[in-house]
Amino acid sequence: MRPKALSLAAAVVAAAVLLSTAALAAPSISAQSAIVLDGCTGRVLYEKSADTRSLIASTTKIMTALIVLESCDIDARVRIPAEACGIEGSSLYLKPGEVLSVRELLLGLMLQSGNDAAMALALYCGGTREAFVQRMNDRAAQLGLENTRFANPHGLDDEQNYSTARDMARLAAIALERDDFREIVSTKSALVAGRSLTNHNKLLWRVDGAVGVKTGYTRAAGRILVGAAERGGRRLICVTINAPSDWADHAALLDFGFSEFTQQPVVTAGETVGEVPVLSGDRGMVRAASCESFSYPLAAGEEIGTVLRLPRFVFAPVMRGEAAGTAEFYLAGRLIGSVPLHWAESAFDAPEPPGLLRRIFGR
Protein backbone atom coordinates (compact mmCIF):
# COMPACT_ATOMS: atom_id res chain seq x y z
CA MET A 1 0.00 0.00 0.00
CA ARG A 2 1.62 3.25 -1.05
CA PRO A 3 1.06 6.31 1.12
CA LYS A 4 -0.81 9.26 -0.29
CA ALA A 5 -0.22 12.53 1.45
CA LEU A 6 -1.34 14.43 -1.64
CA SER A 7 -4.13 13.52 -4.03
CA LEU A 8 -2.69 12.20 -7.26
CA ALA A 9 -4.29 14.95 -9.31
CA ALA A 10 -2.74 17.63 -7.09
CA ALA A 11 0.65 15.97 -7.10
CA VAL A 12 0.80 15.36 -10.84
CA VAL A 13 -0.88 18.48 -12.17
CA ALA A 14 1.10 20.74 -9.83
CA ALA A 15 4.52 21.75 -11.16
CA ALA A 16 6.65 18.63 -10.86
CA VAL A 17 10.28 19.59 -10.43
CA LEU A 18 13.63 18.03 -11.22
CA LEU A 19 15.71 18.37 -8.06
CA SER A 20 19.38 17.65 -7.38
CA THR A 21 19.68 14.94 -10.05
CA ALA A 22 22.29 16.51 -12.31
CA ALA A 23 25.04 14.29 -10.88
CA LEU A 24 23.18 11.04 -11.61
CA ALA A 25 24.41 8.91 -14.49
CA ALA A 26 21.38 9.26 -16.78
CA PRO A 27 21.38 7.08 -19.90
CA SER A 28 22.07 8.42 -23.38
CA ILE A 29 18.87 8.26 -25.45
CA SER A 30 17.77 8.80 -29.04
CA ALA A 31 14.65 10.85 -28.22
CA GLN A 32 14.35 14.51 -29.15
CA SER A 33 12.45 15.08 -25.90
CA ALA A 34 11.71 12.81 -22.98
CA ILE A 35 10.68 12.61 -19.35
CA VAL A 36 10.44 10.09 -16.51
CA LEU A 37 7.78 10.92 -13.93
CA ASP A 38 7.04 9.24 -10.62
CA GLY A 39 3.34 8.51 -10.98
CA CYS A 40 2.61 8.53 -7.24
CA THR A 41 4.22 11.84 -6.26
CA GLY A 42 4.64 13.73 -9.54
CA ARG A 43 8.41 14.05 -9.10
CA VAL A 44 10.38 14.33 -12.33
CA LEU A 45 13.28 11.87 -12.24
CA TYR A 46 14.66 12.72 -15.69
CA GLU A 47 13.87 15.21 -18.41
CA LYS A 48 15.19 16.30 -21.79
CA SER A 49 13.47 19.18 -23.61
CA ALA A 50 10.31 18.05 -21.83
CA ASP A 51 8.37 21.26 -22.60
CA THR A 52 9.01 21.31 -26.35
CA ARG A 53 5.72 21.21 -28.24
CA SER A 54 5.50 18.38 -30.76
CA LEU A 55 3.05 16.42 -32.85
CA ILE A 56 1.94 13.43 -30.78
CA ALA A 57 0.36 11.09 -33.33
CA SER A 58 -1.72 8.26 -31.83
CA THR A 59 -0.77 9.01 -28.23
CA THR A 60 -3.64 11.48 -28.67
CA LYS A 61 -5.84 8.44 -28.04
CA ILE A 62 -4.92 8.48 -24.34
CA MET A 63 -7.14 11.53 -23.91
CA THR A 64 -9.81 10.02 -26.15
CA ALA A 65 -9.94 6.90 -23.99
CA LEU A 66 -9.97 8.91 -20.76
CA ILE A 67 -12.92 11.07 -21.88
CA VAL A 68 -14.87 7.99 -22.96
CA LEU A 69 -14.22 6.12 -19.72
CA GLU A 70 -15.20 9.16 -17.67
CA SER A 71 -18.41 9.68 -19.64
CA CYS A 72 -19.77 6.41 -21.01
CA ASP A 73 -20.97 3.00 -19.90
CA ILE A 74 -18.16 0.67 -20.92
CA ASP A 75 -20.65 -2.11 -21.71
CA ALA A 76 -22.94 0.07 -23.85
CA ARG A 77 -23.48 -1.05 -27.46
CA VAL A 78 -22.44 1.29 -30.26
CA ARG A 79 -23.76 1.14 -33.82
CA ILE A 80 -20.95 2.23 -36.10
CA PRO A 81 -21.89 5.24 -38.26
CA ALA A 82 -20.62 5.55 -41.82
CA GLU A 83 -18.71 8.69 -40.83
CA ALA A 84 -16.42 6.56 -38.65
CA CYS A 85 -15.47 4.16 -41.42
CA GLY A 86 -12.62 4.42 -43.89
CA ILE A 87 -10.47 6.73 -41.76
CA GLU A 88 -6.89 6.74 -43.07
CA GLY A 89 -4.05 5.13 -41.14
CA SER A 90 -4.26 2.26 -38.65
CA SER A 91 -7.74 0.78 -38.58
CA LEU A 92 -10.09 -1.87 -37.22
CA TYR A 93 -11.82 -1.82 -40.63
CA LEU A 94 -15.18 -1.14 -39.05
CA LYS A 95 -18.27 -1.46 -41.21
CA PRO A 96 -21.29 0.89 -41.18
CA GLY A 97 -24.07 -0.55 -39.02
CA GLU A 98 -21.76 -2.96 -37.20
CA VAL A 99 -22.40 -3.06 -33.44
CA LEU A 100 -19.59 -3.22 -30.89
CA SER A 101 -19.42 -2.42 -27.20
CA VAL A 102 -17.60 0.63 -25.88
CA ARG A 103 -15.11 -1.77 -24.26
CA GLU A 104 -14.42 -3.48 -27.61
CA LEU A 105 -13.90 -0.14 -29.32
CA LEU A 106 -11.52 0.96 -26.55
CA LEU A 107 -9.50 -2.21 -27.01
CA GLY A 108 -9.38 -1.50 -30.74
CA LEU A 109 -8.39 2.08 -29.97
CA MET A 110 -5.54 1.32 -27.56
CA LEU A 111 -4.21 -2.03 -28.83
CA GLN A 112 -4.70 -1.75 -32.59
CA SER A 113 -4.61 2.08 -32.57
CA GLY A 114 -7.71 2.10 -34.75
CA ASN A 115 -8.43 5.57 -36.08
CA ASP A 116 -11.91 4.42 -37.04
CA ALA A 117 -12.47 3.26 -33.44
CA ALA A 118 -11.42 6.72 -32.26
CA MET A 119 -13.95 8.39 -34.52
CA ALA A 120 -16.73 5.96 -33.59
CA LEU A 121 -16.14 6.61 -29.88
CA ALA A 122 -15.94 10.36 -30.39
CA LEU A 123 -19.25 10.45 -32.26
CA TYR A 124 -20.94 8.18 -29.73
CA CYS A 125 -19.65 10.08 -26.72
CA GLY A 126 -19.71 13.65 -28.04
CA GLY A 127 -22.42 13.64 -30.69
CA THR A 128 -20.12 15.32 -33.18
CA ARG A 129 -16.38 15.24 -33.75
CA GLU A 130 -16.15 18.95 -32.94
CA ALA A 131 -18.03 18.59 -29.66
CA PHE A 132 -15.83 15.70 -28.56
CA VAL A 133 -12.62 17.55 -29.42
CA GLN A 134 -13.87 20.48 -27.36
CA ARG A 135 -14.30 18.12 -24.43
CA MET A 136 -10.74 16.88 -24.93
CA ASN A 137 -9.43 20.44 -24.78
CA ASP A 138 -11.61 21.33 -21.80
CA ARG A 139 -10.27 18.31 -19.92
CA ALA A 140 -6.70 19.23 -20.80
CA ALA A 141 -7.30 22.68 -19.36
CA GLN A 142 -8.80 21.20 -16.17
CA LEU A 143 -5.69 19.06 -15.75
CA GLY A 144 -3.37 22.03 -16.22
CA LEU A 145 -1.87 20.74 -19.47
CA GLU A 146 -0.84 24.18 -20.67
CA ASN A 147 1.16 23.04 -23.70
CA THR A 148 -1.44 20.64 -25.08
CA ARG A 149 -4.11 21.08 -27.70
CA PHE A 150 -6.23 18.55 -29.57
CA ALA A 151 -7.67 18.89 -33.06
CA ASN A 152 -9.02 15.36 -33.51
CA PRO A 153 -9.64 12.17 -31.49
CA HIS A 154 -7.08 9.96 -33.29
CA GLY A 155 -3.86 11.95 -33.71
CA LEU A 156 -3.50 12.16 -37.46
CA ASP A 157 -1.15 15.06 -38.24
CA ASP A 158 -2.57 18.50 -37.60
CA GLU A 159 -0.58 21.56 -36.51
CA GLN A 160 -3.24 22.18 -33.85
CA ASN A 161 -2.84 18.68 -32.36
CA TYR A 162 0.23 18.82 -30.16
CA SER A 163 1.60 18.30 -26.67
CA THR A 164 4.87 17.90 -24.74
CA ALA A 165 6.59 15.05 -22.98
CA ARG A 166 5.73 16.61 -19.61
CA ASP A 167 2.05 17.07 -20.38
CA MET A 168 1.70 13.58 -21.82
CA ALA A 169 3.31 12.06 -18.73
CA ARG A 170 0.89 13.95 -16.48
CA LEU A 171 -2.06 12.85 -18.59
CA ALA A 172 -0.94 9.22 -18.50
CA ALA A 173 -0.46 9.36 -14.73
CA ILE A 174 -4.03 10.57 -14.26
CA ALA A 175 -5.46 8.00 -16.69
CA LEU A 176 -3.58 5.12 -15.02
CA GLU A 177 -5.34 5.86 -11.75
CA ARG A 178 -8.43 4.33 -13.37
CA ASP A 179 -8.58 0.55 -13.09
CA ASP A 180 -10.52 0.26 -16.36
CA PHE A 181 -7.94 2.30 -18.29
CA ARG A 182 -5.02 0.38 -16.80
CA GLU A 183 -6.70 -2.94 -17.62
CA ILE A 184 -7.18 -1.97 -21.26
CA VAL A 185 -3.71 -0.57 -21.96
CA SER A 186 -1.99 -3.51 -20.25
CA THR A 187 -3.89 -6.08 -22.32
CA LYS A 188 -1.48 -7.88 -24.64
CA SER A 189 -4.04 -9.41 -27.00
CA ALA A 190 -7.79 -9.58 -27.41
CA LEU A 191 -10.49 -10.93 -29.72
CA VAL A 192 -12.83 -8.10 -30.72
CA ALA A 193 -15.85 -8.78 -32.93
CA GLY A 194 -14.00 -11.52 -34.78
CA ARG A 195 -10.78 -9.50 -35.01
CA SER A 196 -7.63 -10.78 -33.33
CA LEU A 197 -5.76 -7.81 -31.86
CA THR A 198 -2.21 -7.65 -30.53
CA ASN A 199 -1.05 -4.64 -28.55
CA HIS A 200 1.45 -2.53 -30.52
CA ASN A 201 3.23 -1.66 -27.27
CA LYS A 202 6.27 -3.97 -27.14
CA LEU A 203 7.15 -2.72 -23.66
CA LEU A 204 4.56 -5.15 -22.31
CA TRP A 205 6.83 -8.01 -23.38
CA ARG A 206 10.23 -6.38 -23.01
CA VAL A 207 10.19 -4.35 -19.77
CA ASP A 208 9.72 -5.73 -16.27
CA GLY A 209 6.45 -4.54 -14.76
CA ALA A 210 5.24 -2.69 -17.89
CA VAL A 211 1.55 -1.72 -17.75
CA GLY A 212 1.11 0.40 -20.90
CA VAL A 213 0.43 2.92 -22.28
CA LYS A 214 0.35 3.93 -25.99
CA THR A 215 2.45 4.04 -29.14
CA GLY A 216 2.27 6.65 -31.88
CA TYR A 217 3.84 7.26 -35.26
CA THR A 218 3.49 9.43 -38.30
CA ARG A 219 6.23 10.45 -40.71
CA ALA A 220 5.99 14.06 -39.53
CA ALA A 221 5.83 13.26 -35.79
CA GLY A 222 8.32 10.43 -35.69
CA ARG A 223 8.07 7.63 -33.14
CA ILE A 224 6.18 8.64 -29.98
CA LEU A 225 5.87 6.35 -26.98
CA VAL A 226 4.11 6.80 -23.65
CA GLY A 227 5.10 3.95 -21.34
CA ALA A 228 4.60 2.97 -17.71
CA ALA A 229 5.91 0.29 -15.39
CA GLU A 230 5.22 -0.78 -11.81
CA ARG A 231 7.83 -2.30 -9.51
CA GLY A 232 7.86 -2.65 -5.75
CA GLY A 233 4.71 -0.59 -5.26
CA ARG A 234 6.00 2.28 -7.41
CA ARG A 235 4.72 3.44 -10.79
CA LEU A 236 6.91 5.35 -13.24
CA ILE A 237 5.69 7.08 -16.41
CA CYS A 238 8.10 7.50 -19.32
CA VAL A 239 7.48 9.54 -22.48
CA THR A 240 9.74 9.82 -25.51
CA ILE A 241 9.01 11.99 -28.55
CA ASN A 242 10.65 11.58 -31.94
CA ALA A 243 12.78 8.69 -30.71
CA PRO A 244 14.18 6.33 -33.38
CA SER A 245 15.15 3.82 -30.65
CA ASP A 246 12.13 4.29 -28.42
CA TRP A 247 11.97 0.73 -27.03
CA ALA A 248 15.60 0.89 -25.91
CA ASP A 249 15.13 4.45 -24.61
CA HIS A 250 12.23 3.38 -22.41
CA ALA A 251 13.96 0.30 -21.06
CA ALA A 252 17.00 2.38 -20.10
CA LEU A 253 15.03 5.30 -18.66
CA LEU A 254 12.71 3.13 -16.60
CA ASP A 255 15.62 1.11 -15.22
CA PHE A 256 17.33 4.41 -14.37
CA GLY A 257 14.29 5.71 -12.53
CA PHE A 258 13.76 2.56 -10.50
CA SER A 259 17.44 2.01 -9.67
CA GLU A 260 18.63 5.55 -8.96
CA PHE A 261 15.60 6.59 -6.87
CA THR A 262 14.09 4.66 -3.99
CA GLN A 263 10.83 5.37 -2.22
CA GLN A 264 11.75 6.64 1.24
CA PRO A 265 9.24 6.94 4.12
CA VAL A 266 9.20 10.46 5.56
CA VAL A 267 6.44 10.07 8.15
CA THR A 268 3.91 7.36 8.99
CA ALA A 269 0.31 7.80 10.06
CA GLY A 270 0.06 8.20 13.82
CA GLU A 271 3.73 9.11 14.25
CA THR A 272 4.45 11.87 16.79
CA VAL A 273 6.18 14.79 15.09
CA GLY A 274 6.23 17.44 17.82
CA GLU A 275 4.65 18.78 21.01
CA VAL A 276 3.15 22.07 22.10
CA PRO A 277 2.84 23.66 25.60
CA VAL A 278 -0.65 23.64 27.15
CA LEU A 279 -1.82 26.59 29.23
CA SER A 280 -4.32 26.10 32.09
CA GLY A 281 -4.33 22.37 31.52
CA ASP A 282 -3.88 19.22 33.55
CA ARG A 283 -0.69 18.46 31.59
CA GLY A 284 2.14 20.69 30.50
CA MET A 285 2.55 19.50 26.89
CA VAL A 286 0.41 17.85 24.25
CA ARG A 287 1.79 15.76 21.36
CA ALA A 288 0.97 16.31 17.69
CA ALA A 289 0.91 13.33 15.31
CA SER A 290 0.61 12.84 11.56
CA CYS A 291 -2.84 12.01 10.20
CA GLU A 292 -1.35 10.33 7.11
CA SER A 293 1.77 8.64 5.81
CA PHE A 294 4.05 10.34 3.31
CA SER A 295 6.94 8.93 1.28
CA TYR A 296 8.99 10.29 -1.60
CA PRO A 297 11.44 8.98 -4.23
CA LEU A 298 14.98 10.05 -3.38
CA ALA A 299 18.40 9.63 -4.94
CA ALA A 300 21.42 8.75 -2.84
CA GLY A 301 22.47 11.67 -0.64
CA GLU A 302 19.19 13.58 -0.86
CA GLU A 303 17.54 14.59 2.40
CA ILE A 304 14.09 15.97 3.13
CA GLY A 305 13.56 18.82 5.59
CA THR A 306 10.38 19.15 7.65
CA VAL A 307 8.66 22.36 8.75
CA LEU A 308 5.94 22.01 11.42
CA ARG A 309 3.11 24.52 11.24
CA LEU A 310 1.90 24.28 14.86
CA PRO A 311 0.75 26.93 17.35
CA ARG A 312 3.34 28.14 19.87
CA PHE A 313 0.96 27.08 22.67
CA VAL A 314 -2.67 26.04 23.18
CA PHE A 315 -5.23 26.61 25.93
CA ALA A 316 -6.96 23.69 27.57
CA PRO A 317 -9.11 21.86 26.86
CA VAL A 318 -7.43 20.05 23.94
CA MET A 319 -9.19 16.98 22.55
CA ARG A 320 -7.40 14.02 21.06
CA GLY A 321 -7.96 13.73 17.30
CA GLU A 322 -8.69 17.42 16.73
CA ALA A 323 -6.79 19.27 14.00
CA ALA A 324 -3.45 20.58 15.23
CA GLY A 325 -1.64 21.95 12.20
CA THR A 326 0.41 20.80 9.21
CA ALA A 327 3.80 19.24 8.49
CA GLU A 328 5.45 20.48 5.29
CA PHE A 329 8.25 18.63 3.52
CA TYR A 330 11.01 20.30 1.49
CA LEU A 331 13.70 19.03 -0.86
CA ALA A 332 16.42 21.40 -2.01
CA GLY A 333 14.31 24.29 -0.72
CA ARG A 334 11.20 23.30 -2.69
CA LEU A 335 7.91 22.22 -1.12
CA ILE A 336 7.21 18.64 -2.17
CA GLY A 337 4.25 17.72 0.01
CA SER A 338 2.43 18.12 3.30
CA VAL A 339 0.28 16.16 5.75
CA PRO A 340 -2.31 17.33 8.30
CA LEU A 341 -1.55 16.88 12.00
CA HIS A 342 -3.85 16.06 14.89
CA TRP A 343 -3.50 16.07 18.66
CA ALA A 344 -2.37 12.64 19.83
CA GLU A 345 -3.70 13.12 23.38
CA SER A 346 -6.17 15.22 25.34
CA ALA A 347 -5.49 17.96 27.89
CA PHE A 348 -8.31 19.02 30.19
CA ASP A 349 -8.80 22.13 32.31
CA ALA A 350 -6.66 22.02 35.47
CA PRO A 351 -8.67 21.69 38.73
CA GLU A 352 -8.86 24.83 40.83
CA PRO A 353 -6.49 24.78 43.86
CA PRO A 354 -8.25 24.32 47.26
CA GLY A 355 -8.97 27.42 49.40
CA LEU A 356 -7.05 28.35 52.58
CA LEU A 357 -9.65 26.97 55.09
CA ARG A 358 -9.84 23.68 53.15
CA ARG A 359 -6.08 23.34 53.25
CA ILE A 360 -6.10 23.99 57.07
CA PHE A 361 -9.12 21.94 58.14
CA GLY A 362 -9.19 19.47 55.26
CA ARG A 363 -12.70 20.44 54.26
Side-chain angles (χ1 to χ4, degrees), residues 32 76 122 147 165 218 232 357:
Q32 176 181 305
N147 290 303
T218 67
L357 292 176

Side-chain angles (χ1 to χ4, degrees), residues 77-256:
R77 308 292 290 175
V78 179
R79 185 172 298 278
I80 306 302
E83 186 181 351
C85 301
I87 308 296
E88 66 176 292
S90 54
S91 179
L92 282 184
Y93 301 101
L94 297 172
K95 299 179 177 61
E98 188 176 4
V99 177
L100 285 80
S101 70
V102 170
R103 183 191 302 273
E104 289 174 324
L105 287 170
L106 285 168
L107 286 167
L109 179 80
M110 301 305 282
L111 275 65
Q112 186 78 8
S113 201
N115 294 334
D116 50 357
M119 186 63 72
L121 287 166
L123 294 173
Y124 173 76
C125 185
T128 66
R129 165 180 161 150
E130 292 74 20
F132 186 81
V133 169
Q134 184 61 54
R135 292 179 66 175
M136 296 171 74
N137 286 316
D138 289 345
R139 192 71 175 101
Q142 291 172 0
L143 295 176
L145 308 182
E146 297 179 354
N147 290 303
T148 296
R149 183 166 180 80
F150 297 104
N152 57 60
H154 40 61
L156 289 173
D157 290 336
D158 188 307
E159 290 184 358
Q160 294 304 308
N161 198 88
Y162 59 80
S163 189
T164 66
R166 191 183 312 277
D167 278 4
M168 292 304 293
R170 292 173 173 173
L171 173 60
I174 295 296
L176 283 167
E177 281 296 291
R178 296 187 60 96
D179 292 340
D180 46 13
F181 180 90
R182 192 167 60 254
E183 178 185 354
I184 289 168
V185 299
S186 63
T187 298
K188 292 183 177 180
S189 61
L191 186 64
V192 170
R195 302 165 175 85
S196 181
L197 309 182
T198 300
N199 200 318
H200 290 178
N201 184 3
K202 296 180 181 179
L203 295 178
L204 296 175
W205 289 268
R206 297 185 179 185
V207 170
D208 180 32
V211 293
V213 177
K214 187 69 186 75
T215 61
Y217 172 78
T218 67
R219 183 174 298 179
R223 295 179 64 86
I224 319 293
L225 182 57
V226 179
E230 297 175 349
R231 300 176 194 171
R234 299 173 61 196
R235 177 185 298 150
L236 300 188
I237 316 297
C238 182
V239 179
T240 55
I241 294 179
N242 196 5
S245 301
D246 50 4
W247 308 120
D249 285 356
H250 275 245
L253 287 171
L254 288 167
D255 284 345
F256 167 80

